[in-house]
Amino acid sequence: MKLIYERSQPGRRAGRLPRYDLPKVELPEHLRRASPPRLPEVAEPELVRHFTALSDRNFGIDTGFYPLGSCTMKHNPRVNERVVSLPGFRDLHPYQEDEGAQGALELMWNLQEILAEVAGLPAVSLQPAAGSQGELTGLMLMRAYFEDRGEGARRDTIITADTAHGTNPASVTMAGFKLEKVETDARGNLDLADLRAKVNERTAGLMLTNPSTLGLFDEGIVEVARIFHDAGALLYYDGANLNAVCGISRPGDMGFDIVHYNLHKTFSQPHGGGGPGGGPVAVRDIVEPFLPSPTVVRDGDAFRLEYDRPKSIGRVRGFGGPFGVFVRSYAFIRSYGPGLKEMSETAVLNANYLLARLKDAYELPYDRHCMHEFVLSARNLKRDHGITALDVAKRLMDFDIHPPTVYFPLVVPEALMIEPTETEPKERLDEFVDVMHGIAGEAAESPEVVKEAPHHRPVRRLDEVRAAKNPVVKYGFEEVTTPA
Ligand SMILES: Cc1ncc(COP(=O)(O)O)c(C=O)c1O
């Protein structure tokens, strides 16, 4: 496919600006560019064809099956886009005074109430813009809580699981805590003996995903919570996997004190291509005074932003948070209503169906019922035929299937982390199973086909390290003029 610069013809234009009648402004000589910018020159039809052809090459949830573990790539209901485009939401200025933004504030307040119910915790801040920012906010809340109790200097360590998502240790370090990792036991739970040995008077808290990134619900969670609370520490719930448990079990009931939600995963939102996210946090009453300011409060029938929060950690994001994400998530939740539980039940059913049908062809390191996702290992294919998890992932692309998450969590060698989500019908799941079985068969009979995949995509196997370290993101004109 030609680049837009290669389609360029001198003098071609896709539009013409109206002649302006303002006085001409003379720029000082030293600010004027020496030569015109070298922009591509194309007429509108060619321009449209170019970008349409590019967009055709994109893969997304709207084009095919996207079982990217931990990322919850589910269908985004189109009605949400209609709702978020309503002029009253779309055209609202973030500095609009409270009296003129009652509908928006009511929606935010309602969303806070629903999220509090889902988490089983009383207070919510909608501000954080992503799961990872929710994590950082949660850790700042922990710090503020301990400082308020005079324990700030002593409580300097956060414990995470060895299966934790990379953002967990990154947030811990960014928030200025020391990091300690706890091992996973043979059933995929936190190893309680290792945990007991590591929790002490220096521990500020735990940061855990439950179900874990192995797709397993921690069977010892009540005991885990007891160990931390007995040591005076707090528990943080990384809610990236909340899609498995909505309406079924609540982090607050499990013993967690602070929770983040990934609105863009659990409650739908076009994401994955860098779209906006939402990472609200919910907290227990003892942490509530420290929540970011402002929060949305209700006075009788009116709603307002509450700034008078003397112990607050302050703002973590501009304005009230990612408002469009709130509208979509609210519409999503309201369309399920009390049946939100069915969303999670179906997500778990779909994952267990796939697990049951794939565990003979690929290794299953933890042979238990899974939650909304599960982790297989291509270790058997590597040992017997030299085919790796990466080879399997690349071959899937030839069948118009997005690869699952690979090589994560780190505790599983040759990991393939698969999350089908609740919005896939049985036929799609069966197609995926057939393709996965086909690839396992190819690994034995014609491994070179898998090794050299993909065969039918716009590009073949790329040097991913070079692409990441030396990306070529500008057009290579023969001669480059640097402005003086
Ligand atoms: C388990 C887990 N925790 C945290 C995050 C971070 O969430 P976000 O991408 O919204 O920052 C992710 C994202 O994939 C995740 O899977």
Side-chain angles (χ1 to χ4, degrees):
M1 183 180 162
K2 280 189 174 173
L3 299 176
I4 188 83
Y5 282 100
E6 291 159 352
R7 287 173 176 261
S8 178
Q9 294 294 334
R12 299 257 169 91
R13 291 288 179 273
R16 199 179 293 276
L17 292 176
R19 290 180 74 82
Y20 61 89
D21 54 4
L22 297 172
K24 204 171 173 191
V25 178
E26 285 302 324
L27 276 182
E29 186 65 36
H30 71 282
L31 291 180
R32 287 189 212 162
R33 50 185 316 144
S35 53
R38 292 197 289 187
L39 298 174
E41 299 176 78
V42 277
E44 187 172 298
E46 286 295 296
L47 186 70
V48 170
R49 282 186 189 136
H50 177 74
F51 285 106
T52 306
L54 269 184
S55 70
D56 277 352
R57 292 177 161 211
N58 274 339
F59 188 92
I61 185 70
D62 295 341
T63 45
F65 186 45
Y66 207 136
L68 190 64
S70 210
C71 291
T72 314
M73 302 300 287
K74 62 169 83 173
H75 172 67
N76 297 293
R78 291 306 187 264
V79 66
N80 297 356
E81 300 307 314
R82 291 278 295 275
V83 175
V84 80
S85 305
L86 290 173
F89 290 140
R90 188 193 57 205
D91 301 339
L92 195 61
H93 194 279
Y95 280 136
Q96 177 75 45
E97 70 280 7
D98 291 356
E99 299 76 53
Q102 283 297 295
L105 290 173
E106 182 174 358
L107 183 143
M108 289 166 75
W109 187 82
N110 284 342
L111 184 61
Q112 286 178 185
E113 292 289 294
I114 294 171
L115 294 178
E117 179 60 31
V118 168
L121 292 170
V124 171
S125 166
L126 297 175
Q127 273 188 33
S132 42
Q133 204 193 6
E135 291 172 23
L136 184 62
T137 306
L139 292 166
M140 288 161 70
L141 291 171
M142 276 197 197
R143 181 176 292 290
Y145 168 81
F146 285 118
E147 271 169 9
D148 192 57
R149 295 167 60 91
E151 298 175 44
R154 173 159 64 85
R155 302 247 179 212
D156 62 0
T157 306
I158 299 286
I159 293 179
T160 63
D162 58 3
T163 52
H165 189 259
T167 50
N168 289 185
S171 301
V172 170
T173 309
M174 217 169 167
F177 286 103
K178 291 182 187 144
L179 177 72
E180 183 108 61
K181 284 196 181 176
V182 170
E183 285 172 15
T184 299
D185 72 13
R187 277 188 62 76
N189 299 316
L190 275 189
D191 186 319
L192 289 178
D194 191 32
L195 186 66
R196 283 196 190 95
K198 284 173 178 161
V199 176
N200 55 43
E201 72 289 346
R202 302 207 70 87
T203 309
L206 169 76
M207 180 172 261
L208 189 72
T209 320
N210 193 25
S212 68
T213 59
L214 290 166
L216 301 175
F217 192 90
D218 198 301
E219 297 162 313
I221 194 62
V222 173
E223 182 56 17
V224 168
R226 191 172 13 247
I227 293 170
F228 279 86
H229 285 156
D230 284 354
L234 298 175
L235 286 93
Y236 180 93
Y237 182 92
D238 169 344
N241 291 342
L242 205 65
N243 212 51
V245 295
C246 279
I248 301 170
S249 66
R250 307 191 303 173
D253 300 339
M254 296 176 213
F256 288 91
D257 306 292
I258 308 173
V259 170
H260 88 245
Y261 315 75
N262 293 61
L263 291 184
H264 45 293
K265 298 181 182 180
T266 314
F267 302 123
S268 97
Q269 169 79 25
H271 70 288
V281 289
V283 296
R284 208 172 282 292
D285 50 1
I286 50 171
V287 183
E288 191 274 339
F290 310 100
L291 274 183
S293 168
T295 51
V296 184
V297 295
R298 179 178 188 165
D299 289 333
D301 287 339
F303 301 86
R304 65 182 170 82
L305 292 171
E306 167 71 68
Y307 290 88
D308 186 16
R309 304 185 51 81
K311 290 190 174 182
S312 165
I313 60 167
R315 266 188 192 283
V316 297
R317 192 186 187 283
F319 309 116
F323 184 68
V325 181
F326 303 157
V327 178
R328 291 188 186 87
S329 291
Y330 185 65
F332 180 89
I333 294 170
R334 291 301 301 267
S335 66
Y336 268 100
L340 196 59
K341 185 177 171 202
E342 284 166 29
M343 168 190 91
S344 292
E345 285 172 345
T346 312
V348 172
L349 179 66
N350 277 359
N352 277 287
Y353 178 72
L354 285 185
L355 181 148
R357 295 209 52 204
L358 287 173
K359 69 177 185 176
D360 292 339
Y362 295 82
E363 269 188 30
L364 179 63
Y366 300 93
D367 195 356
R368 279 168 57 183
H369 277 128
C370 65
M371 298 297 288
H372 66 312
E373 67 187 0
F374 59 101
V375 180
L376 295 174
S377 170
R379 189 167 43 180
N380 55 330
L381 301 190
K382 188 173 178 191
R383 184 188 56 229
D384 299 340
H385 317 295
I387 293 299
T388 64
L390 185 70
D391 297 329
V392 175
K394 296 290 182 195
R395 184 66 175 136
L396 278 168
M397 293 163 71
D398 279 331
F399 298 93
D400 286 333
I401 293 174
H402 193 284
T405 300
V406 289
Y407 298 103
F408 178 74
L410 304 176
V411 295
V412 175
E414 300 301 324
L416 293 158
M417 185 204 249
I418 298 165
E419 178 178 2
T421 82
E422 71 279 6
T423 50
E424 294 301 333
K426 181 169 174 295
E427 315 83 78
R428 276 280 181 212
L429 302 181
D430 287 334
E431 273 168 30
F432 176 63
V433 168
D434 291 345
V435 171
M436 286 291 279
H437 282 156
I439 295 173
E442 283 177 340
E445 284 146 30
S446 45
E448 64 294 341
V449 174
V450 188
K451 268 261 154 270
E452 286 162 20
H455 301 271
H456 313 302
R457 309 308 309 175
V459 289
R460 301 289 302 271
R461 191 84 63 114
L462 297 174
D463 180 343
E464 289 175 4
V465 176
R466 212 169 127 220
K469 295 215 180 252
N470 300 309
V472 180
V473 290
K474 64 177 186 186
Y475 184 63
F477 293 109
E478 296 90 351
E479 34 133 356
V480 178
T481 47
T482 316

